[in-house]
Amino acid sequence: MTTLLIYVKNNNSMNDLMEKIVSLCKRRGVIFQSSEIYGGLANAWDYGPFGIELKNNIKQAWWKANVHNRYDILGMDASILMHPKVWEASGHVQNFYDLKSDCKSCKKRFKTEELKDKHKCPECGSELTEGRQFNLMFETYQGAVGDAADKIYLRPETAQGMFVNFVNILDSRHPKLPFGLAQIGKSFRNEITPGNFIFRTREFEQMEIEYFVRPQDGDKCYQSWVEERLKWYIGLGIKKDNIRKREHGKDELAHYALACTDIEYNFPIGWSELEGIANRADFDLKQHSQLSGKELKYFDEVSKEKFYPFIIEPSAGVDRSLLAFLVDAYHEEKVREETRVVLKLNKGLSPVKAAVLPLLKNRTAIVELAKKIAGDLKKDIYAVYDDTAAIGKLYRRQDEVGTPYCITVDVQSLEDKQVTVRDRDSMLQERIGVDRVKEYILEELNK
Ligand code: ATP
């Protein structure tokens, strides 16, 4: 009865897939264009009721795997605004540039490194300006005066907030090497070529770990984080064929990195970075020591030595991960000559775990029972009650946001005290006693 429509990954169908995902996100309240009623702000997006649930579930899965389930990583949350010297020490003031070229005729702007012909506009063929340096940091002013002395930046990465707190963490929690810090938060980059939905935006969220190790353990630790992070995505359902690692060549490495590997995902725009894992050596702690005048060394109580630990940094994007999970989960199936769109998300990531649907919304007893079941489920999982359409439509809407279980209350339920539980993937329906519904769903979710 069910036939899978498999996407052939040529460019057309992949872009078609991106369009389908953008449209599903709008239609179902996952992601909206920012400020749409004013014509929209380009490349800025708002997460709707289901989008925020999915995003929170991704962040929680990351936090659980990297903070709560480990003994060696501590969480923190630094402020977005930091002392401007931080960005001198990190190299962002001096090095965080892209070259941009502008078309003299159509005025379009391009990232110089992405141009095949550095002098000719790829859109209209006219002459381009020479590549000009463009710092990617957003500048702003602190306080009322707004002169140059008050200039600060919106952070372009969360990492620095963890480096500058290194001594605070040592003094307050006394961790021993190797140990890590983890943080999730917003970052801002004035990207020259944002686009491709939430893949590249100017405001985005990162999930970063700074893992401090003895210098001699740096390389081994870096290699093991690459494997660890790859496993995390696969464990949450990303298909092995759609994810790979790519080590940077020496000429590609950032100024602070000894080595770097990207975890790439096969996005509709082609294989692109999902997460970067870098061996930053002792660059950051040394730099901050020099500029702040505070010693940021680790004291080893056994050898009585003081040294700068190496830092291994797995740095992932929340929004890019969310896009990868959406792309990977998107399925179209033919069911009785109709196309069923379903997000086969990992159940733990699904925005809603169960939807309770009354078959007849004008029968008070049915509505009351359905609301009671939903209320009871809500104590343990995120469940919704929905009576805004006929049952077929309600099933389709829940399939499109990846809800694993739909529970339908019908006339018979009032007599036999049973409801129908429908499985998202198999579409099989089972009659379950009302008093067993919660136990059944919890068991299924934990399988
Ligand atoms: P890219 O090469 O795509 O610009 P990057 O190498 O500059 O990325 P990092 O500085 O390593 O990115 O940041 C770590 C992660 O943060 C990236 O792997 C990505 O998931 C996310 N990220 C970085 N820039 C953006 C952006 N503009 N929009 C959305 N996510 C981003």
Side-chain angles (χ1 to χ4, degrees):
M1 184 180 19
T2 307
T3 359
L4 257 189
L5 301 178
I6 296 170
Y7 274 100
V8 182
K9 297 202 167 178
N10 63 38
N11 275 345
N12 279 344
S13 66
M14 285 304 273
N15 290 335
D16 189 35
L17 173 57
M18 190 73 124
E19 268 170 35
K20 284 181 173 181
I21 286 173
V22 174
S23 130
L24 180 149
C25 283
K26 179 171 162 66
R27 162 169 103 240
R28 292 287 162 249
V30 182
I31 299 170
F32 308 118
Q33 168 80 69
S34 161
S35 323
E36 200 178 353
I37 59 166
Y38 288 101
L41 176 69
N43 305 300
W45 301 93
D46 297 340
Y47 287 85
F50 290 128
I52 182 61
E53 297 295 336
L54 177 56
K55 196 178 183 192
N56 281 343
N57 292 340
I58 292 170
K59 292 197 279 186
Q60 269 161 22
W62 185 90
W63 196 262
K64 191 162 187 289
N66 294 303
V67 182
H68 288 181
N69 285 1
R70 295 180 66 119
Y71 58 88
D72 57 347
I73 299 189
L74 302 165
M76 62 166 291
D77 184 31
S79 64
I80 288 173
L81 305 178
M82 300 179 76
H83 195 290
K85 280 229 182 294
V86 167
W87 308 111
E88 281 177 41
S90 68
H92 282 84
V93 172
Q94 310 88 310
N95 298 316
F96 202 44
Y97 283 99
D98 272 344
L99 287 181
K100 64 171 171 127
S101 304
D102 294 305
C103 174
K104 289 182 179 169
S105 167
C106 74
K107 308 290 177 210
K108 286 234 166 78
R109 175 161 290 174
F110 304 94
K111 216 167 161 173
T112 312
E113 68 172 59
E114 287 171 359
L115 291 166
K116 279 204 185 98
D117 181 338
K118 308 270 182 265
H119 304 286
K120 196 167 142 199
C121 175
E123 299 273 324
C124 73
S126 304
E127 200 187 340
L128 291 172
T129 59
E130 282 302 312
R132 281 177 292 187
Q133 282 194 337
F134 181 78
N135 193 298
L136 301 181
M137 278 199 294
F138 273 95
E139 293 176 3
T140 186
Y141 295 90
Q142 173 157 275
V145 183
D147 60 22
D150 298 326
K151 188 162 93 178
I152 54 170
Y153 303 96
L154 299 187
R155 70 179 176 204
E157 61 179 29
T158 65
Q160 300 301 324
M162 294 183 266
F163 304 144
V164 299
N165 276 295
F166 182 65
V167 170
N168 283 335
I169 299 292
L170 287 182
D171 290 350
S172 59
R173 297 297 311 270
H174 314 286
K176 299 280 169 276
L177 289 182
F179 74 91
L181 293 174
Q183 174 165 234
I184 301 176
K186 289 261 174 151
S187 294
F188 302 82
R189 297 182 187 175
N190 206 355
E191 301 275 4
I192 296 173
T193 49
N196 295 312
F197 194 29
I198 53 171
F199 178 82
R200 187 182 301 286
T201 48
R202 295 191 170 109
E203 171 183 348
F204 56 97
E205 235 174 326
Q206 291 185 304
M207 308 183 276
E208 295 196 297
I209 297 166
E210 305 303 331
Y211 200 78
F212 303 91
V213 290
R214 290 169 198 283
Q216 61 272 30
D217 299 333
D219 186 55
K220 199 164 154 229
C221 180
Y222 155 71
Q223 305 286 353
S224 78
W225 268 113
V226 173
E227 298 311 319
E228 186 73 23
R229 293 300 306 141
L230 203 54
K231 261 201 297 196
W232 183 78
Y233 291 102
I234 293 167
L236 285 173
I238 294 284
K239 295 176 199 81
K240 282 192 180 139
D241 288 349
N242 284 341
I243 195 160
R244 69 181 187 195
K245 47 190 178 174
R246 186 184 71 80
E247 179 136 34
H248 284 205
K250 288 274 173 255
D251 54 333
E252 256 184 287
L253 289 175
H255 63 278
Y256 53 76
L258 211 58
C260 188
T261 296
D262 285 347
I263 292 184
E264 295 187 332
Y265 182 75
N266 191 10
F267 286 102
I269 50 170
W271 286 95
S272 314
E273 176 180 340
L274 178 58
E275 167 162 354
I277 295 111
N279 179 350
R280 303 178 69 113
D282 56 5
F283 177 83
D284 307 278
L285 293 176
K286 251 189 191 159
Q287 282 290 108
H288 285 300
S289 288
Q290 268 167 23
L291 251 87
S292 67
K294 303 274 181 328
E295 192 180 73
L296 306 183
K297 282 185 176 164
Y298 176 84
F299 176 66
D300 186 90
E301 279 164 7
V302 181
S303 67
K304 308 289 179 210
E305 271 180 318
K306 266 185 175 179
F307 59 92
Y308 292 112
F310 271 27
I311 297 174
I312 311 305
E313 177 190 70
S315 171
V318 175
D319 316 81
R320 245 181 234 188
S321 302
L322 192 143
L323 182 59
F325 285 118
L326 283 177
V327 170
D328 223 73
Y330 186 91
H331 276 75
E332 285 184 6
E333 301 172 356
K334 273 258 177 278
V335 181
R336 290 194 203 91
E337 298 313 308
E338 278 196 29
T339 302
R340 176 174 94 114
V341 174
V342 53
L343 284 189
K344 295 196 172 178
L345 283 168
N346 170 286
K347 293 175 186 174
L349 296 185
S350 290
V352 176
K353 309 298 181 224
V356 190
L357 319 168
L359 197 66
L360 300 168
K361 67 173 170 189
N362 44 13
R363 282 285 294 271
T364 314
I366 292 180
V367 168
E368 276 173 4
L369 179 57
K371 284 188 175 165
K372 188 173 168 300
I373 295 171
D376 193 34
L377 284 170
K378 269 173 180 287
K379 291 177 193 154
D380 292 279
I381 52 168
Y382 186 40
V384 293
Y385 165 86
D386 194 358
D387 65 6
T388 55
I391 192 73
K393 225 179 206 170
L394 292 177
Y395 279 155
R396 270 201 301 277
R397 288 182 189 167
Q398 294 299 332
D399 285 344
E400 287 195 354
V401 291
T403 306
Y405 301 101
C406 284
I407 298 153
T408 307
V409 182
D410 51 27
V411 178
Q412 210 190 325
S413 307
L414 301 175
E415 285 155 27
D416 65 7
K417 302 280 175 282
Q418 291 194 334
V419 289
T420 304
V421 180
R422 171 186 178 270
D423 181 279
R424 175 193 72 193
D425 299 335
S426 64
M427 288 187 294
L428 290 176
Q429 307 194 354
E430 238 183 292
R431 290 294 279 182
I432 308 271
V434 170
D435 53 353
R436 270 209 62 235
V437 169
K438 180 145 114 184
E439 187 190 327
Y440 174 86
I441 303 267
L442 288 177
E443 263 173 32
E444 290 292 316
L445 287 173
N446 287 326
K447 263 185 191 166

